[in-house]
Amino acid sequence: MIEREVAMQLKGVHQRVKQIMQYKISEYGLRFGQLHLLMLIEKYPDANQKDLAKEMRFTEGAMSGMVKQLIELKMLEQIPLELDMRYNRLVITEKGQAMIVDYQDELLIIYRDLFAGFTNHELENLNRYLTIINNNLDDMNEFNNKQNLKEKGV
């Protein structure tokens, strides 16, 4: 079945890119979950730990542990909020920012090398095909969400 073969090829591409990037971020002593958290904090600097945990589908305890690890790696700081000293704001350190920039630069190099030998026309076609696949996945996910709500009586 050709659909299965194509899906396996996409999975293989994803796994190999992830493996290459894991090598890069391991230079900083990081794992992908920690990198993802740093990038979320960069994107949503005013988010609290509870919101970040929800976004990453972590328990608040797991989030606290990950934040503690990032603080120990000097990638993150907790700064008390002026309005309420009981709460802390998560701030990415210079070291954390440098790691994010390094990661993003490395990812661009990988993307360039990944598509070496493709013409712009071929890349445009591939992008169109992958957009269709992602739209199909969105539709499947939306259907599953509706089914879950129906089963819960919502």
Side-chain angles (χ1 to χ4, degrees):
M1 180 170 159
I2 190 66
E3 293 90 350
R4 183 180 189 285
E5 291 299 316
V6 172
M8 291 293 101
Q9 289 289 345
L10 289 171
K11 181 179 178 182
V13 168
H14 171 74
Q15 287 174 334
R16 288 193 295 280
V17 168
K18 189 174 177 180
Q19 184 180 29
I20 291 166
M21 290 313 299
Q22 180 59 58
Y23 177 77
K24 184 65 180 174
I25 66 171
S26 67
E27 292 174 7
Y28 291 93
L30 292 176
R31 295 182 313 275
F32 270 107
Q34 294 165 321
L35 172 64
H36 182 63
L37 176 57
L38 284 173
M39 295 180 91
L40 276 177
I41 293 168
E42 181 181 53
K43 187 174 182 178
Y44 305 109
D46 295 327
N48 60 37
Q49 280 187 221
K50 185 177 181 178
D51 294 335
L52 293 167
K54 185 176 178 183
E55 177 70 23
M56 293 184 70
R57 296 185 176 117
F58 283 1
T59 65
E60 290 179 43
M63 180 58 67
S64 293
M66 187 177 289
V67 166
K68 182 179 176 186
Q69 292 168 348
L70 289 169
I71 290 170
E72 289 170 0
L73 290 169
K74 301 191 183 337
M75 300 277 176
L76 202 57
E77 292 177 332
Q78 286 182 320
I79 299 175
L81 290 174
E82 293 99 27
L83 298 174
D84 190 342
M85 298 299 269
R86 295 174 297 171
Y87 298 102
N88 293 312
R89 183 168 166 245
L90 298 174
V91 177
I92 300 171
T93 64
E94 282 185 37
K95 182 179 179 182
Q97 284 293 342
M99 190 282 312
I100 289 172
V101 168
D102 193 27
Y103 168 80
Q104 291 169 335
D105 290 346
E106 188 70 22
L107 200 53
L108 290 176
I109 292 167
I110 288 171
Y111 290 160
R112 185 195 66 220
D113 293 347
L114 179 66
F115 297 110
F118 280 82
T119 66
N120 278 342
H121 180 69
E122 290 168 333
L123 285 173
E124 288 168 4
N125 283 334
L126 180 58
N127 185 55
R128 192 170 65 249
Y129 302 145
L130 292 173
T131 298
I132 293 168
I133 290 170
N134 279 304
N135 288 339
N136 291 343
L137 289 168
D138 287 344
D139 291 346
M140 292 164 52
N141 195 35
E142 187 176 323
F143 176 79
N144 288 338
N145 288 339
K146 286 179 182 177
Q147 288 298 108
N148 285 338
L149 289 175
K150 190 183 285 185
E151 289 172 8
K152 291 178 181 177
V154 178

